[in-house]
Amino acid sequence: MKHYTLTIVGTGYIGLVTGACFALMGHTVVCHDVDRAKISGLQKGKMPFYEPGLRTLVRGMVGKRRLRFTTDLEDAVQQSQVVFFTVGTPSRKDGSVDLRYVRQAAQDLAGYVRPGMIIVSKSTVPVGTSLLIRRILERGGAKKFAIVSNPEFLREAVAIDSFIHADRVVIGYEEHTPSRVRRIMNAVYSGLHVPIIETNNRSAELIKYAANVYLAGQISFINSIARLCEEIGADVEEIATALKADRRIGPRAFLQAGIGYGGLCFPKDIRALIKISKKMGYHFKYLDVVEEVNKDQRKIFVEKLRRMLGTLKGKHITLFGLSFKPNTDDMREAPSLDIIRLLLKAGAHVAVTDPKAIPYARRILGKSVTYISQPARAVVGADAIGIVTEWSDYRRLPWSTLIKKMKSPHILDGRNMLNPRTMASYGYLYEAMGRK
Ligand code: UDX
């Protein structure tokens, strides 16, 4: 396999994981960011966020001199043939994508582009953004470069594995892209031994949105089935198992019912695609429903707690889990935030526990809730436990003894992670989402 020198512009979540994984594949990678504190932290081996295995990987690659960090863009691109844009693309208030970091990065890069350089857009961006990058670079005097769109499908908490064992790599090219560019892009990824899907830029940009909204749609679908299950006394977990046995659906389908999706991608990409479609004159009605069902799940969770306890006013509720999914400290658009807001509004006292996200939560929630790092202490005097994130640690808790510390033995399992029969045998008044 041929190895290249690669530059990553924007060392955020995708940038850092991508850079570290490219280094693991044998490439030499220079990661750039404008945030001096972040870069100097990384130079000392300090990670800007928690991701399993990443610190060891980054330190290992830095030690092998295949990965380094800089705030100097000229230095970052000097040796490099391929420059990956992985800058943030946050949501604006109205749901549209804020491209200011993409624009800025393109302006900054323009003066350093050499003929033959390949600029790869990896952030999730609206269709047509690679053309925008081309125009900005050309305005800045850059010539004879190629623009490639190569969306990233990383999953937080399993980011390294989802890069190394990707289901596919999607690479979109402009018309008339020289075959040399295709050869290099294929060679960059050849070490992964995964299918490479070649397409045009516009399709590549849309594939990323299509993939994310499809998966989010599966979640809202199964959550709708879960609601129906409660009305008719069926079990959504058994239904999901049967659906996954259909090879057209498959064992890895996103059919885990619960309080719905959060995180950086699904909510943001759905809002963005709603906006993009609207701009194109198409009302993508399906997405409105996916979003609405997802929001409702959080309200339903709080409503179920209210029904369990008669009232929420003055009740002590302990929430297990804050992050939007297990094995991350990320709370961006986490369902826990809406749930906490609704519980506090209803007059409940909220205690929270989470193996990783408490420092993150303190920054957002301040003193509005009580933080207790040990679940066994967090349940003392609780009227109810609400499971919000399915950390595997929670399966191994001594549930048979924890019950004695609670004021009343209510559990609402918002992720359907515990066994209803076992919990009932311990004496809990256990409820889940769409289960018998
Ligand atoms: C997602 C996509 O999976 C990834 O391909 C894309 O690059 C970025 O967005 P991520 O947000 O890291 O990745 O997490 P993911 O594991 O997909 O879960 C997203 C949310 O959906 C979480 O809140 C999770 O709890 C929820 N979820 C997932 C469900 O509620 N049910 C499921 O069956 C699966």
Side-chain angles (χ1 to χ4, degrees), residues 122 150-155 162-171 189 192-198 204 206-212 214-215 252:
K122 222 176 195 346
N150 170 218
E152 187 46 67
F153 300 95
L154 283 184
R155 283 180 77 187
S162 62
F163 188 97
I164 303 292
H165 300 115
D167 291 326
R168 76 308 209 185
V169 169
V170 173
I171 310 182
Y189 280 107
L192 289 186
H193 308 291
V194 303
I196 293 182
I197 297 173
E198 292 191 5
L206 192 53
I207 284 169
K208 176 63 200 271
Y209 285 107
N212 274 353
Y214 181 81
L215 293 168
R252 290 168 65 202

Side-chain angles (χ1 to χ4, degrees), residues 13-14 51 124 151-159 162 168 208 211-212 215-216 218-220 222-223 244 252-267 269 294 298 323-326 328 330 332-335 388-390 414-415:
Y13 199 90
I14 293 182
E51 172 65 36
T124 305
E152 187 46 67
F153 300 95
L154 283 184
R155 283 180 77 187
E156 286 190 39
V158 286
S162 62
R168 76 308 209 185
K208 176 63 200 271
N212 274 353
L215 293 168
Q218 287 186 336
I219 299 170
S220 283
I222 201 68
N223 283 334
K244 287 178 185 180
R252 290 168 65 202
F254 268 23
L255 293 176
Q256 180 57 59
I259 49 176
Y261 60 79
L264 182 61
C265 292
F266 287 173
D269 291 352
N294 194 56
R298 303 164 186 201
S323 53
F324 82 98
K325 69 177 196 177
T328 173
D330 198 341
R332 285 176 288 187
E333 310 229 14
V388 173
T389 316
E390 68 278 32
R415 295 294 189 178

Side-chain angles (χ1 to χ4, degrees), residues 400-436:
S400 60
T401 55
L402 287 187
I403 192 170
K404 297 185 195 116
K405 302 183 180 187
M406 296 178 70
K407 196 162 158 205
S408 62
H410 292 101
I411 294 194
L412 177 57
D413 183 351
R415 295 294 189 178
N416 292 359
M417 72 175 296
L418 300 173
N419 184 313
R421 272 158 290 279
T422 311
M423 297 312 280
S425 75
Y426 295 150
Y428 286 101
L429 299 167
Y430 172 92
E431 283 188 39
M433 307 293 280
R435 303 206 71 180
K436 278 193 294 221

Side-chain angles (χ1 to χ4, degrees), residues 123-309:
S123 317
T124 305
V125 287
V127 177
T129 304
S130 40
L131 190 60
L132 172 81
I133 299 175
R134 166 168 286 292
R135 294 215 173 107
I136 296 173
L137 290 174
E138 282 172 350
R139 232 182 287 137
K143 288 188 185 73
K144 294 192 181 147
F145 57 88
I147 298 274
V148 172
S149 170
N150 170 218
E152 187 46 67
F153 300 95
L154 283 184
R155 283 180 77 187
E156 286 190 39
V158 286
I160 298 170
D161 188 67
S162 62
F163 188 97
I164 303 292
H165 300 115
D167 291 326
R168 76 308 209 185
V169 169
V170 173
I171 310 182
Y173 296 101
E174 292 175 311
E175 243 184 292
H176 312 302
T177 297
S179 56
R180 183 190 67 88
V181 173
R182 290 171 196 258
R183 269 203 313 277
I184 293 175
M185 287 306 294
N186 280 316
V188 164
Y189 280 107
S190 64
L192 289 186
H193 308 291
V194 303
I196 293 182
I197 297 173
E198 292 191 5
T199 176
N200 62 41
N201 265 328
R202 292 180 159 258
S203 300
E205 285 163 344
L206 192 53
I207 284 169
K208 176 63 200 271
Y209 285 107
N212 274 353
V213 305
Y214 181 81
L215 293 168
Q218 287 186 336
I219 299 170
S220 283
F221 161 76
I222 201 68
N223 283 334
S224 303
I225 295 286
R227 287 170 69 181
L228 194 54
C229 281
E230 293 193 358
E231 299 306 319
I232 58 184
D235 188 322
V236 72
E237 293 302 315
E238 285 165 17
I239 291 174
T241 304
L243 290 180
K244 287 178 185 180
D246 185 326
R247 273 173 295 175
R248 291 165 300 179
I249 299 173
R252 290 168 65 202
F254 268 23
L255 293 176
Q256 180 57 59
I259 49 176
Y261 60 79
L264 182 61
C265 292
F266 287 173
K268 173 167 87 85
D269 291 352
I270 289 194
R271 287 195 298 264
L273 196 55
I274 290 173
K275 277 274 158 190
I276 292 165
S277 310
K278 200 172 166 194
K279 215 169 146 190
M280 297 292 157
Y282 173 56
H283 181 186
F284 206 144
K285 292 178 197 160
Y286 170 79
L287 299 182
D288 298 342
V289 176
V290 171
E291 204 183 24
E292 196 184 326
V293 169
N294 194 56
K295 281 189 187 145
D296 284 351
Q297 288 309 103
R298 303 164 186 201
K299 294 184 203 146
I300 289 166
F301 181 83
V302 173
E303 212 32 62
K304 278 168 81 94
L305 275 173
R306 191 196 307 274
R307 250 184 286 134
M308 279 175 124
L309 300 173

